[in-house]
Structures are given as C-alpha cells and as structure tokens.
Amino acid sequence: MQLYNSLSRKKEEFVPATPGKVNMYVCGITAYDYCHIGHARSALVFDVLVRYLRAQGVEVNFIRNFTDVDDKIINRANKENRDWREVAETYMEAFHEDMDRLGVLRATREPRATEHIAQMQELCQTLIAQGKAYATPSGDVYFSVRSYPPYGKLSGRTLDELQAGARVAPGEEKRDPLDFALWKAAKPGEPFWESPWGQGRPGWHIECSAMSEPFLPLDIHGGGLDLTFPHHENEIAQTEAATGRELARFWVHNGFVQVNSEKMSKSLGNFKTIRDILQNYLPETLRFFLLGKHYRSPIDFTDGSMDEAEKAQKRVYECLLEAEKAGQRGKWKKTALPQQVLEEFAALEKAVDEALADDVNTASALGHIFGMVRLVNRLLEDKGLRAAEGTRDLLAGFRAAAAHWADVLGLFAREPEAFLHDLRVQQATRKGIDVSHVEALMHQRLEARNARDFARSDAIRDELQRLGVAVRDTPAGAVWDIA
C-alpha cells in the first residue's frame, strides 16, 4: 500500500512497524458544538483507511480522542449557565449519534483529555527537568521551542519565519514569543486540577501527547490539514523532546471542505452541521459525496453537488436491483459470454482495490465501480447476453463485489429496494411533496387497474404528474419516482 506522508511530503510504501498490526491515532473533536461537514470528512477518511487495512487482515488499534476541557467548552458553559462537564458530555454523545448515522465505525479506544491529567503533568515535569520547558511565577508552563532544533519539520516552517511578527502579549511571562503553553494557570471560575505549579488545566497540545504516548511509535497519526500547524507540530516537539522517541512514522492529513466555493464560517451564514445536511439528504448520500474526491484534495459542498451524488448513488443501486432480479431467472441459455467482457469485468474489479491501495484513492475507486455498473447494464440491456449462463456468474460476481465495497467504503450496503424507497421519500420531502398522499394515490391507481378502470388509472397518473411524481409500471408492480 502507498500512503502519502505529510512528514516526507511524498507517497511511501506503508509497512507497519509490527507486521500485521497498526497503531493509528486521529485527533478527535473539541466537544463544544455539533459536528460540521469538515468533521464528517475527516471521520470518513480515516474510517475508510481503517476499513481498508482491516480488509487486508491487519489488526488496527484505532485511537480517536475527545478534548473534553478547553476554552471553547468553558465559554459555552458560561454562556449557557451550564456545567462544563455537561456541555462536553452533550456534544460527545452528539458526535457518536452523527457518526453512527454516517456509518463511521467506533474507534478501538476513545480517550478523554480529563482522564489523562496525571500523564500530562508528568510530561510537563519531564520537559522542565530536561530544560525544554519552564514554569512561570503565575503557574503557567511553557515549552521552549528553540530547545527542540527539528521544530517545523512537519509544517516546513522555519524559526525565522515564525519569529517574524511574533510578539509576547502584555502580561505574558513567556521567555520567547514562539513558546507555547503546556499547562495554564486557572482563572477565576474555570475548572482546575492541582499541580506542582498550582491550580490549572492542560494546554490543548499536551493532551494529545499524553493520550498517544502509550502507543508510540504510532504507525499513523492523522487529522485535518488545519491541524498540521501548530497542533501537530507542537505534538511532535513535546512528545519527541520528552520521550526521545518518534511520535509517528506516517502523518496523514485530509483536505479542507468549502461551502459554495467559500470557506465555511458562521459569519458568512454557510456553516453546515451534519444535522443540517441530514435534514435534506440521506446519510449515505453525504458519505458518498465526501468520498467522491481524493482525501487530500479540497472539496466544495453545494446542494447541486449533493443532488448529483444522489443521482450517481441511484444508478448503482438500480443496477444492483436489476442484477439481483436477473440473477433469479429460472432458465439460462448455455451461452458463453465473450472473453473480452469477462476480462473487462475482472480488470475493473481489480482496479477498485488498486485505487484504494494507492493512497486511499476513493474517487478513483468509485470511478471503476461506475465502470462495472456500465458493463453490467450493457449486459442486461442485450437480450442475447442477458440470459447467458455466463451472465449469471458475472452478476453474482457483481453482487459479491458490492458486498466488498460495503465493507471497505461503507457504501452500497443496503437492500436496493429499501434504499431506493428511502431516496424517493427524501427527495419528495425536500420538494414539499406529501409522501402519504402519493402513496394513497398509488394505492387508488392499483385498485383502478385491478378493476380494469383504465380511465380512472390514467387520471390518477396525471394527478401524480402534476404533483411532480412520475409512475413507472414494471412486472413487479408500479413504482413512483420524482419527475
């Protein structure tokens, strides 16, 4: 498997330090608000990476933390007159609800920052003893950036670049404007823990160092591109300075999400939570959309792009449904499929896995899946080949491939008819169409056809058409869809 390493800035062959086992740590959320689409993308990227590695027989120890004490959590608690612990608990639970809906697997371990305060203090003490950190009279502890010469190796920034414009704010006790906080003295009304430096709480960066330390060296450390600097850069500095060990062999970062070609921001009114989106689209549609671009590329969320994702999903599920029906045929001709068709199908099936092995290229993998869909549809539309015995085997292979995609991509796992029904309902609801009224009209039309009252049947079809609903009669019965 080839994986892009942000540390070396190139793709490298990924080989676990311990054969057959992988320790992977991904920075989780700060639990002060509902998850937005950027959180969804990061979670899905690493979900697919975990799924892919496990499909290869690798045992993955996946650690994803929660930051459950932080300025943002405290500020929200104060604003809402709530306990900070209650705020954190609320949004950690909401995270699980959102991710479960998106089909994101639970992490093997989900450490919370507040469970590792002792380890954070130990790291601070070690760094102070080494002369790489220092405590101030007021009780803050800072990491001395210049004491760690490799600082900047992940982000590519130099100390001279960082020094430009850096200042020590009035009242700060930092020795150097580049130094960052490991431990913060508690302010009045803030949560605190007793420490050798007085009452205080941890800085953000030291939290991840403490939670990941038991698993060093990590095979993979991941997160969003925005975490590269300063968070991941600071993690490297404090962990490697304190332990003398490498923090992670591979650093994997996913790209940004924009909304309507702009950076997502509450001030711009384009802030999209997962819950906002799932009011209008199925969870699998959001998953499909976010996996439709390579994880390192930026992705632009628009209603139009989600509508296109729906259409694409529908094509796959409709093909799976038709393949399932055709596979149930009672009689098959002893007709051999052209060797070229069999070879094309095998090549596409292989290409899906090759794409995933090439830096988890889900976009390319989906392209090959649609190549398989086009091939299967060609066979099903050809009366001569549709009933061929070789077609039955190929259709069985297609459905087996879909089961594999369900495991690795978390897509196309549902029964096709159930998914297509839910998609119709979702689209109708989004357009303001009363689904219960549509279903009632469909039932009336069925009764009219059974009574051979074709005039009444046609009138109901016309009424549905005016509502924006198209009716298609199939051997299995009438099916409605959004016109």
Side-chain angles (χ1 to χ4, degrees), residues 366-377:
L366 286 171
H368 296 307
I369 287 171
F370 280 102
M372 295 173 75
V373 168
R374 288 190 292 272
L375 175 60
V376 170
N377 283 335

Side-chain angles (χ1 to χ4, degrees), residues 295-313:
Y295 77 89
R296 285 191 285 115
S297 302
I299 191 168
D300 188 29
F301 175 92
T302 66
D303 289 341
S305 60
M306 288 293 287
D307 292 344
E308 288 301 315
E310 277 186 337
K311 292 175 185 176
Q313 270 186 303

Side-chain angles (χ1 to χ4, degrees), residues 221-294:
H221 193 314
L225 189 62
D226 57 315
L227 298 182
T228 306
F229 186 90
H231 185 53
H232 288 162
E233 194 74 72
N234 290 353
E235 270 191 74
I236 290 173
Q238 62 204 11
T239 296
E240 297 188 355
T243 68
R245 302 175 68 192
E246 184 179 34
L247 172 54
R249 298 170 54 243
F250 278 74
W251 287 85
V252 178
H253 294 97
N254 63 272
F256 293 115
V257 178
Q258 292 183 314
V259 176
N260 296 318
S261 301
E262 292 183 306
K263 182 179 179 180
M264 186 171 63
S265 166
K266 289 182 179 179
S267 62
L268 292 174
N270 66 352
F271 192 81
K272 295 286 186 181
T273 69
I274 294 171
R275 295 181 179 212
D276 292 334
I277 296 166
L278 297 190
Q279 287 180 359
N280 294 311
Y281 296 94
L282 296 178
E284 189 177 333
T285 301
L286 179 56
R287 184 179 183 105
F288 178 92
F289 164 72
L290 289 171
L291 296 180
K293 281 285 184 76
H294 189 278

Side-chain angles (χ1 to χ4, degrees), residues 143-160:
F143 182 85
S144 176
V145 167
R146 295 184 189 277
S147 72
Y148 179 71
Y151 191 85
K153 66 180 180 179
L154 179 65
S155 63
R157 306 187 187 201
T158 66
L159 293 183
D160 288 340

